[in-house]
Amino acid sequence: MSDDHVYLSLAEGHDEGGDARWAFGTGFEDPLHGVDTAVPAGVDATELAATCLALGDDALVSAQRLAEWTTRAPELEEEVALANIGLDLLGQARLLYARCGQVDGSGRGEDAYAYLRDADDFRNVRLAELPGGDFAFSIVRLLVLSSWRLAHFERLAASPDPVLSAVAAKGVKELTYHRQYAADWAVRLGDGTPESHRRMRAALHQVGPYLGELFTAYDVRDEVVAVLAQVTEAAGLPMPAWRPTPGAGREGGHTEHLAPLLAELQGVARAHPGAVW
Amino acid sequence: MGRHFPKGLGSSYHGPNERSVGKWDSMTSPQSGTSSSAPPADRAEPELQRHFDDTIAHNQRIEPRDWMPEGYRRTLIRQIAQHAHSEIIGMQPEGEWITRAPSLRRKAILFAKVQDEAGHGLYLYSAAETLGADRADLTERLIEGRQKYSSIFNYPTPTFADVGVIGWFVDGAAICNQVPLCRSSYGPYARAMVRVCKEESFHQRQGYELLLTMMRGTDEQRAMVQDAVDRWWWPSLMMFGPPDDDSPNSAQSMAWKIKRHTNDELRQRFVDMTVPQAEKLGVTLPDPELRWNEERGHHDFGTPDWSELKRVISGDGPCNAQRMERRRTAHEEGAWVREAAAAHAAKQDKRREEGSAA
Amino acid sequence: MSDTEGTKGNWPLYEVFVRGKRGLNHVHVGSLHAADDRMALTHARDLYTRRNEGVSIWVVRSEHIAASTRDEKDPFFAPSADKVYRHPTFYDIPDDVPHI
């Protein structure tokens, strides 16, 4: 039919984007292909591994919480958006675990980190593991974590390790988008209705105690606080109260919520030793 | 159509032709049968009908702002909406496994696949809206049980092998059903299906690839795959709908080129496609009557339990209540979010107006 | 403003146009619902381009699109047959329909 070509050519264009996404998201090829994986001289391998593991754990646990929204999002368009963010973070986790396995001397693959460690061995910040809560809580958490992670990745893009640098550079684009998504929603919900405003206040109150952990771990506090100040002001919301308490998640100290999250994540993999998927 | 006046592109223009649809409503009721049987109560009507019939006869597309018989419009809205609902409800059986997928690679694939289904639902709702339907209204119809979705999604997914078999069978059956719809006579539907089909073929391959991998694994995994095949085979055959001699609406849909093949033709195509794949995989399809018929050049196969299909369609399947409950809950619990966003947008508009007035 | 919102939580419909790659026109790809322009762009990017970098997206409220009538050269749409429909008062529009 003569009218087909326009749509077919459009579909082709669409397909190219899809391929790029799949190549990254499904592991059909080595995600670190083409990047020199040797640890450069002067880089402390132990420290590099610890950084990759901690950032990988943040991403995996966050992706798991985002995946819980599937079929439960407030609108269908948000299903797609939340899944995109979850997939980005899952992709980051995989790259970071892969790097960790290369430099910590264990030679482990991504799944060994995700599926064969107990809660004590996870190094994610506790904010990432808190139960899902309502959409307001998810938005506030995403705003905080994406702002914080973005500030951190921007610095890591200049890392002397070429792999971490490449992972961070890719992540910066993704996280910029995540932060924008969260900021837009924070403003809508803060300004929208009395109910949404109330829920946002509650969510900000809820994340407060977990901010100190972020701010002691890395020197990005001022940047994150500035973002939060800008967004909360636009949203007509108060800044969350935080105290500079020592981090616990980075040392393996977690809330009671991480173990059940991992039980769900790891259950099938652990129930079938020797199986291949 | 009542309050569902056209909103989609093309129909968003409140021009003559759209408005006239309601006026002619009673003359071309949905059951008025063949497209040439409408009584010529308006002198324009036979001309419009002839133009429509010619367009169909020449295999050209009907587009949103074209005049169309009310039955055609209603049939399409129903079919596209049910298709959209199926994509959205269809996220649930597999979606339950995203958080539990046993490798990060499988987790990413499944997450993206279920996301695609949300996207497919949106493409289809978008197509339905070009016909004057309203998505909020269609969603209401779904959660009130007034519109259906595919019976296949009312079956449970007890093991991870189900994820693979759904990809292989259910997405495979969907492809058989949907590829011909890329040539559907209604333009927006056909175009939506081009996008959907491209992604579905990926879904089918990833499902089959998961099963191939599992079959190379442990005995326990092979047993899981066979068990899932046993449970999904017959429901998958039922996805094509009742047999042709019990499918009253098919003939009209074929004449309108909304549908391009009969249920039984598509079912046969699916069986013929799947049998060699099953052999390669090393699983047994649970049908003792399944065999190659040299004379027909097709596989013969047994008769699905049509009473089961009727039961599942009428709401009595294993998971109907659970699926509907989830969708309803998500919609209701999301209401405050949707309202807040709308309220914020209204406030912003007002602020802008006041700003420009000042 | 609240014209296309049947109930208070329903977001208006937007049409989406995508330039798939350089050298092509923007092409209409479908529609979506969003509360505001910014959300519509975000959704369009997520849904219709899967955030493919480099593509250009336009979104416009469906109700703001003015469309031509059908093919004017079509014999059926000769002025005599068409004229009456062009008269706005020919149509009985319910009160809650916007922009009439």
Side-chain angles (χ1 to χ4, degrees), chain A residues 163-197:
Chain A
V163 179
L164 183 55
S165 168
V167 172
K170 178 172 171 49
V172 162
K173 286 186 203 163
E174 296 168 345
L175 292 163
T176 303
Y177 182 81
H178 304 175
R179 185 181 68 175
Q180 191 63 56
Y181 175 85
D184 287 349
W185 266 112
V187 171
R188 286 186 196 110
L189 297 179
D191 182 54
T193 62
E195 179 177 10
S196 67
H197 185 85

Side-chain angles (χ1 to χ4, degrees), chain A residues 1 3-4 7 22 25-26 28 64 71-72 74-75 77 80 84 111 115 191-192 264-265 275-277, chain B residues 59 61 99 101-108 112 115 135 191 198 220-221 326 336 338 344 347 351:
Chain A
M1 241 171 290
D3 61 344
D4 273 344
Y7 304 105
W22 285 118
T26 62
F28 287 137
Q64 186 79 354
T71 72
R72 292 178 170 90
E75 184 52 285
E77 280 86 352
V80 178
N84 266 338
D111 287 340
Y115 292 94
D191 182 54
E264 182 170 339
L265 189 148
V276 286
W277 309 98
Chain B
N59 267 334
R61 302 287 165 77
T99 56
S103 78
L104 294 185
R105 176 171 173 266
R106 291 294 169 197
K107 190 192 274 289
Q115 181 199 36
R135 191 168 101 203
R191 294 192 285 275
K198 278 178 166 285
E220 194 188 3
Q221 284 187 291
R326 168 71 63 82
W336 71 269
R338 298 190 299 274
H344 169 68
K347 284 183 186 178
R351 286 175 194 134

Side-chain angles (χ1 to χ4, degrees), chain B residues 292-312:
Chain B
W292 177 251
N293 183 327
E294 190 66 49
E295 204 174 306
R296 288 203 308 126
H298 291 291
H299 292 87
D300 292 338
F301 55 98
T303 308
D305 178 358
W306 297 121
S307 63
E308 177 181 318
L309 179 63
K310 282 189 179 135
R311 268 201 314 280
V312 177

Side-chain angles (χ1 to χ4, degrees), chain B residues 67-212:
Chain B
W67 182 90
M68 61 188 81
E70 189 56 21
Y72 177 87
R73 183 187 296 272
R74 286 191 186 171
T75 301
L76 268 172
I77 289 176
R78 193 183 62 231
Q79 180 175 332
I80 298 172
Q82 289 181 4
H83 194 161
H85 297 332
S86 299
E87 296 283 355
I88 299 306
I89 297 291
M91 296 168 70
Q92 292 184 29
E94 292 172 283
E96 292 172 16
W97 286 97
I98 297 172
T99 56
R100 295 182 281 163
S103 78
L104 294 185
R105 176 171 173 266
R106 291 294 169 197
K107 190 192 274 289
I109 292 172
L110 187 59
F111 205 169
K113 188 199 161 184
V114 173
Q115 181 199 36
D116 279 347
E117 283 158 7
H120 296 176
L122 286 168
Y123 300 158
L124 288 159
Y125 283 126
S126 168
E129 289 190 291
T130 65
L131 289 157
D134 173 74
R135 191 168 101 203
D137 176 63
L138 297 177
T139 301
E140 288 297 322
R141 285 168 192 257
L142 170 66
I143 63 184
E144 287 166 13
R146 288 185 288 137
Q147 269 180 345
K148 307 283 188 196
Y149 55 90
S150 176
S151 58
I152 195 77
F153 301 117
N154 289 317
Y155 292 87
T157 46
T159 78
F160 195 70
D162 290 333
V163 169
V165 174
I166 286 177
W168 179 29
F169 283 173
V170 177
D171 294 316
I175 290 169
C176 289
N177 262 328
Q178 292 170 1
V179 166
L181 294 178
C182 297
R183 295 187 297 122
S184 166
S185 62
Y186 187 59
Y189 189 29
R191 294 192 285 275
M193 292 317 300
V194 170
R195 283 169 171 278
V196 170
C197 285
K198 278 178 166 285
E199 292 180 346
E200 291 288 354
S201 71
F202 173 83
H203 295 173
Q204 189 198 17
R205 275 180 294 173
Q206 65 79 25
Y208 191 72
E209 190 247 4
L210 168 59
L211 298 178
L212 275 174

Side-chain angles (χ1 to χ4, degrees), chain B residues 9 43 63 144 161 196 222 227 231 244 258 261 286 307:
Chain B
L9 178 70
R43 74 191 170 100
E63 294 294 347
E144 287 166 13
V196 170
R222 277 184 284 278
D227 167 65
R231 284 183 287 107
D244 292 346
I258 292 173
H261 300 280
S307 63

